[in-house]
Amino acid sequence: MFDVLVYLYENYWRPDACPEHAQLSRKLTSVGFESDEIEDALSWLDGLTTVAESQAKAQSPLSLRVYTPAEQDHLGTASIAFLSFLESAGVLPAPMREIAVDRAMATTGELALEDLKIIVLMVFWSIGEEPDALILDELFVDVEDRLIH
C-alpha cells in the first residue's frame, strides 16, 4: 500500500488531480501494482479525505496529546517521538498530527517509522501543502544515505 501512496505523491500534485478510482486503479495496475495493494491504498485515501474534511481546525496550542495504549502499541516509540519532533519543530500542527495518527491507526500490521513518514507526507499532500525542504529531507532520505558536510 505504501508504494502506491508514494507513487501517487510523486505523480499527482494533489488528491483532486488524481483521476476517479476506476481510472486510477487501471493506471496503477498498468504501472505494475497488485490489485489488493491498490484497493488498500484507495480505501486508505478515502479515509484520509474524510478525516481531513472533518478534522477541527482550532485546537489550543497549549493542549497536550496523550496517546492511548492501543496507539502506543500500534505506532511504537519511534513513531510517537517523530510526531512529537515534527510538532515541536512547528511543522506539524495539532490538527494535522491528529489526521496522521488516525491514518496510522487505520493501517494493519506493524507500522514502521518509514511508513509513518509516508503517512505524514500524505497528510501534507491531502491539504495541498508541500513541507519545506528540510522536512522533505527528513521524510524521504534514510539516515544512512545522508551526507555529512
Side-chain angles (χ1 to χ4, degrees):
M1 175 184 86
F2 291 104
D3 291 335
V4 174
L5 296 176
V6 169
Y7 177 86
L8 293 175
Y9 179 83
E10 291 175 345
N11 289 281
Y12 299 98
W13 101 270
R14 282 186 53 113
D16 55 4
C18 291
E20 299 216 11
H21 279 357
Q23 183 180 0
L24 182 58
S25 184
R26 285 191 300 275
K27 178 163 178 62
L28 292 170
T29 300
S30 71
V31 172
F33 292 109
E34 300 293 324
S35 62
D36 59 336
E37 200 176 18
I38 294 168
E39 287 178 35
D40 289 346
L42 294 180
S43 175
W44 187 91
L45 281 173
D46 287 340
L48 175 61
T49 301
T50 302
V51 171
E53 289 172 354
S54 67
Q55 181 62 36
K57 300 295 181 204
Q59 287 186 353
S60 170
L62 302 176
S63 65
L64 175 67
R65 176 59 154 97
V66 178
Y67 291 89
T68 67
E71 290 171 337
Q72 291 174 20
D73 288 343
H74 189 70
L75 295 173
T77 306
S79 293
I80 292 172
F82 184 71
L83 289 171
S84 296
F85 159 71
L86 292 177
E87 190 174 8
S88 67
V91 296
L92 189 68
M96 290 176 66
R97 179 204 59 222
E98 290 306 308
I99 296 169
V101 169
D102 178 85
R103 294 292 73 211
M105 294 301 291
T107 62
T108 58
E110 187 176 326
L111 183 72
L113 179 58
E114 289 72 30
D115 297 337
L116 178 75
K117 289 179 177 184
I118 293 169
I119 290 170
V120 170
L121 190 64
M122 295 308 291
V123 169
F124 277 99
W125 181 74
S126 73
I127 62 171
E129 187 176 312
E130 186 170 324
D132 67 28
L134 292 176
I135 297 304
L136 273 175
D137 183 52
E138 190 65 38
L139 294 173
F140 269 127
V141 179
D142 288 333
V143 174
E144 299 85 33
D145 295 337
R146 291 190 179 158
L147 295 175
I148 299 175
H149 297 278

